[in-house]
Amino acid sequence: MPTASFHFPKGFQWGTATSSHQVEGGNTNNNWYKWEQEGHTAHKSGLASDWWGGRWKEDFDRAAEAGQNAHRLSVEWSRIQPTPDRWDEEALERYRIMLRGLRDRNIMPMVTLHHFTDPLWLGELGGWETDAVVPLFEKFTTKVVEALKEYCSLWCTINEPNAYATEGYLRRHFPPGKSDLKLDFRVQANMARAHASAYRAIHALQPEARVGYALHFRPQEPAHSWSPLDQLMRNITFGGFNTPFPSAISTGVLKSPLGRISVPEAKGTQDFFGLNYYSVDTVAFDLRKPEELYSRSFFPEGTDLADAGMNSNTPEGFFWAFKWAVKTYPNLPIIVTENGIEDSTDRIRPRYLAQHVHAMWRAVNFNWPIKGYFHWSLVDNFEWERGWTQRFGLWGIDIETQQRTKRPSADLYAAICKENGLTSEMVQKYCPEVYEKLFPA
Ligand code: IFM
């Protein structure tokens, strides 16, 4: 009997999340492969975590032994439809085998249909910049759902449409490396349209399906609450990044600081809200940053920051994200589709995990309808433009040998999954430095 504990409702899903290009390896027919060859990334994805080579089996074993009962993965469009007029049935069969592999281990799959990568041929047709993508994505969705519906009924149409658009059409970190705010919002509008038609296509094939998308939600705070300019920049950043896509789904209008795009067909097209939460940013007005629209995002001194400096440990932002979600989408189930931190030495991850699970528990206790949590990530994987410099896995991977090494957080997360909660003993064992914060006497 633990001394003190924070338990979750019966049936809560505990899992991990991954995506095709980040773990499969050997994806040579998509825009990211090209982007890597052109030298835009710190490293190349190469074999990634070698799941296409079969290592998914040992990694799913790890997840099952660690008490996980759910896993979110994505399918690779460029493998399944290598050219506009050809389907690769063998690739689909491989995904069927992987999903069966999850089911055999009592792990419920969630499948994402689009996670940042596009087939090369799609880019040649204009990618997400034109609404010609909408019927193409619907066709792809139909093909995948027909093939995989025996094993999966929980679908995420598009991962982080806001990050895809911002990184590819404003900040130039992702392909196609453009910087054009208008295009950024046009791409998000087309993603909302494609999401809506995929939503309907999935329900037509599988009435019991639960379908949603995953938003990268990044709360922002003004550097100085007394500064109207910092406040203004915070509001522009917040309204430019976090809210346009959600507004398209809740109201049928994609609202951005630049204007509005009508997407009436998107209104109400979700059965759950997928929340990807990592960290809070501080925003300041900065005249030296015209390319960032005169704003600067940073982590203030004293922040509990990961070594690689990409995310900080700010669990209060996680609670705030839930609060925002229930206000934006009243009564809609929430699934945490991603949450985690880059940390090769596991210095910060145990407390990050414990404090975020605690923040989620607080939210559950307001009867906010949170149904599951997918930690990012099961094993180290290819982190986009940052290559292999950021390690998000509960298990580390030596990329040369593909050898896995368990990080202490994997045991902490296993204890949480098996207990369906967080106990004082776990905190005492894995992150005693936050014991007083989580269990004040
Ligand atoms: O690795 C990414 C993932 O592909 C999308 N969400 C954020 C993760 C960590 O940066």
Side-chain angles (χ1 to χ4, degrees):
M1 184 73 158
T3 312
S5 57
F6 304 117
H7 278 106
F8 284 75
K10 208 166 159 245
F12 197 84
Q13 305 275 188
W14 294 101
T16 43
T18 54
S19 90
S20 56
H21 193 73
Q22 293 179 271
V23 293
E24 286 178 356
N27 271 315
T28 56
N29 189 26
N30 67 28
N31 55 341
W32 267 90
Y33 179 75
K34 186 162 172 266
W35 193 243
E36 292 165 31
Q37 306 314 306
E38 289 168 357
H40 298 287
T41 56
H43 307 104
K44 295 191 170 111
S45 51
L47 277 187
S49 318
D50 198 22
W51 280 20
W52 207 250
R55 284 184 208 266
W56 60 267
K57 293 192 199 84
E58 52 169 293
D59 289 338
F60 288 0
D61 285 343
R62 290 186 173 93
E65 277 158 28
Q68 296 175 29
N69 59 21
H71 184 78
R72 171 178 175 233
L73 53 75
S74 77
V75 289
E76 177 61 36
W77 191 352
S78 64
R79 281 193 196 279
I80 293 171
Q81 194 176 7
T83 55
D85 52 0
R86 193 166 84 78
W87 299 109
D88 186 334
E89 299 294 340
E90 209 186 302
L92 273 170
E93 183 54 27
R94 283 235 216 164
Y95 285 120
R96 279 174 59 82
I97 293 170
M98 282 169 79
L99 294 193
R100 202 181 310 140
L102 285 173
R103 290 285 184 194
D104 290 346
R105 291 166 178 80
N106 291 319
I107 297 179
M108 184 205 62
M110 173 193 269
V111 171
T112 303
L113 292 154
H114 184 274
H115 192 123
F116 292 166
T117 52
D118 299 317
L120 284 172
W121 59 261
L122 183 72
E124 283 154 21
L125 296 177
W128 292 89
E129 294 173 31
T130 119
D131 60 10
V133 67
V134 177
L136 295 170
F137 187 65
E138 185 187 320
K139 211 167 138 194
F140 165 67
T141 299
T142 300
K143 184 73 185 175
V144 171
V145 174
E146 276 168 347
L148 305 185
K149 69 177 197 288
E150 185 180 349
Y151 302 111
C152 177
S153 59
L154 184 59
W155 304 93
C156 173
T157 54
I158 300 180
N159 179 70
E160 299 184 355
N162 57 335
Y164 176 94
T166 305
E167 299 297 336
Y169 289 89
L170 189 62
R171 304 183 66 201
R172 298 196 169 114
H173 293 145
F174 285 13
K178 298 187 180 174
S179 194
D180 180 334
L181 259 181
K182 267 198 150 159
L183 263 186
D184 172 338
F185 294 119
R186 192 197 298 163
V187 162
Q188 292 199 56
N190 286 329
M191 286 188 144
R193 294 183 181 111
H195 158 84
S197 67
Y199 176 88
R200 294 195 173 90
I202 298 171
H203 276 291
L205 289 168
Q206 194 184 39
E208 74 279 15
R210 286 176 296 151
V211 187
Y213 72 98
L215 181 79
H216 191 122
F217 186 79
R218 200 135 177 135
Q220 281 107 14
E221 282 175 352
H224 304 99
S225 51
W226 46 261
S227 159
L229 284 174
D230 287 355
Q231 282 279 8
L232 177 71
M233 287 305 140
R234 180 266 169 205
N235 292 346
I236 292 177
T237 314
F238 190 86
F241 184 74
N242 289 311
T243 52
F245 201 88
S247 77
I249 307 300
S250 57
T251 67
V253 182
L254 189 119
K255 296 178 198 138
S256 80
L258 270 195
R260 294 158 170 251
I261 306 179
S262 183
V263 275
E265 67 271 45
K267 187 173 171 182
T269 52
Q270 65 181 356
D271 306 315
F272 66 88
F273 171 59
L275 170 68
N276 291 3
Y277 171 82
Y278 285 85
S279 193
V280 173
D281 283 325
T282 301
V283 180
F285 174 72
D286 193 333
L287 265 180
R288 293 161 304 180
K289 296 258 172 191
E291 73 288 359
E292 300 271 338
L293 309 174
Y294 301 103
S295 82
R296 183 168 57 93
S297 290
F298 62 101
F299 297 110
E301 223 168 284
T303 304
D304 193 12
L305 198 60
D307 295 337
M310 189 177 164
N311 290 294
S312 72
N313 177 24
T314 33
E316 53 283 2
F318 198 26
F319 183 81
W320 197 84
F322 289 122
K323 201 169 166 181
W324 173 86
V326 283
K327 209 167 130 204
T328 308
Y329 298 127
N331 302 321
L332 195 71
I334 300 169
I335 300 177
V336 179
T337 32
E338 287 180 27
N339 171 246
I341 193 151
E342 74 283 7
D343 183 11
S344 61
T345 59
D346 223 39
R347 176 186 63 83
I348 189 173
R349 187 179 290 104
R351 65 172 173 270
Y352 181 98
L353 184 54
Q355 289 184 275
H356 282 73
V357 168
H358 174 248
M360 180 165 68
W361 175 84
R362 279 183 58 218
V364 164
N365 280 280
F366 279 88
N367 288 329
W368 295 344
I370 305 163
K371 303 296 178 191
Y373 172 90
F374 291 83
H375 188 77
W376 187 276
S377 182
L378 176 56
V379 289
D380 280 347
N381 52 56
F382 178 71
E383 180 57 27
W384 308 113
E385 79 279 15
R386 295 179 166 93
W388 294 101
T389 59
Q390 320 281 313
R391 302 302 182 117
F392 278 90
L394 293 172
W395 274 263
I397 297 187
D398 176 334
I399 289 311
E400 300 304 318
T401 62
Q402 282 292 330
Q403 199 182 329
R404 272 68 172 153
T405 308
K406 187 162 68 167
R407 298 192 168 115
S409 298
D411 286 331
L412 168 58
Y413 191 49
I416 293 170
C417 297
K418 289 176 186 170
E419 179 72 29
N420 194 24
L422 177 74
T423 68
S424 47
E425 279 71 10
M426 293 174 201
V427 174
Q428 193 59 266
K429 181 167 175 192
Y430 293 99
C431 44
E433 70 277 15
V434 292
Y435 189 89
E436 280 303 317
K437 270 192 188 159
L438 296 184
F439 298 96

